[in-house]
Each structure stands twice: as structure tokens, then as C-alpha cells.
Amino acid sequence: MTCSVAPLAAQKGIDISGTWRVDAGTDTKNGPREVIIRADSSASWGKETVRWRLKGDKISIVLGGEWDTYKIKATPTALTLCGGDLKQAVTLKKAGPPTPRAANAKIPPDPDGGV
């Protein structure tokens, strides 16, 4: 699969925090239909609370103690992820601001020992 995206720095400094949803007809192969990305490095990835990190044109998400990395393209209204374990690109549309993380939902520890 070809996945060509500009580094996020070249994507006009777009803030990726927010509530993002996949269109109803999109096949997510058991992946989440809604993702909530927060500025505190946490995200609600379906029913899971995960940690995320951006570097260049990639977003890494730790779920189950291991990082999965995807290329990312961001606009103010859409996020497109490709690569990693995805067979085809998935586009999420911005549905609104991020909701707060539940008080009892802890951010998973960084498996690389970082913050």
C-alpha cells in the first residue's frame, strides 16, 4: 500500500486533539469507530485508554504494552491513518473537541520507559 503524507509540521501545525469518527460504511476490521485524542498523551481507542506520540509524519499508539505506528495526515476536519497493521488507509472525521478522560481511566505506562 502506498501511503504518502507530509510531516505534521508541514501540515500547518494542525492540532490533532479532538473526537474523531469513522464513517458508518467504513470497514475498520474490528478497530474502533471513534477515537478521542487528548493533549495529555492519552486517547480513548474504542473502549481502551491508550497512550499516543507524534514524530514527523507518524503517530505511535501503545496498546497492550507495544507500540503500533501509522503514517498520519491531518487537516482541521479529517485524520487519515495508513501503514502499520492497516491493509488500507482509514479516514476519521472530526466530530468535536476531546472529552475528558474518566477519573478511573489511567494512561498506560510508556513501554519505552519515557514519559
Side-chain angles (χ1 to χ4, degrees):
M1 169 182 64
T2 301
C3 182
S4 176
V5 297
L8 281 179
Q11 294 178 45
K12 301 179 178 84
I14 295 167
D15 178 11
I16 67 165
S17 64
T19 299
W20 302 88
R21 291 192 183 116
V22 176
D23 285 337
T26 304
D27 183 5
T28 62
K29 299 290 185 208
N30 299 322
R33 301 206 68 77
E34 180 178 88
V35 176
I36 301 165
I37 301 174
R38 299 178 192 87
D40 68 356
S41 84
S42 75
S44 295
W45 189 258
K47 294 182 180 182
E48 302 284 335
T49 300
V50 301
R51 179 185 293 267
W52 63 273
R53 182 181 292 159
L54 286 174
K55 186 172 183 180
D57 65 349
K58 295 180 175 65
I59 185 168
S60 296
I61 301 163
V62 67
L63 179 62
E66 292 185 24
W67 290 103
D68 287 318
T69 301
Y70 307 91
K71 286 192 174 186
I72 183 171
K73 179 180 179 183
T75 72
T77 59
L79 286 180
T80 300
L81 302 176
C82 60
D85 61 353
L86 297 173
K87 294 186 192 270
Q88 63 185 16
V90 174
T91 298
L92 299 102
K93 304 286 173 115
K94 191 157 195 178
T99 57
R101 182 170 37 97
N104 62 347
K106 304 295 181 205
I107 302 173
D110 185 336
D112 296 333
V115 177

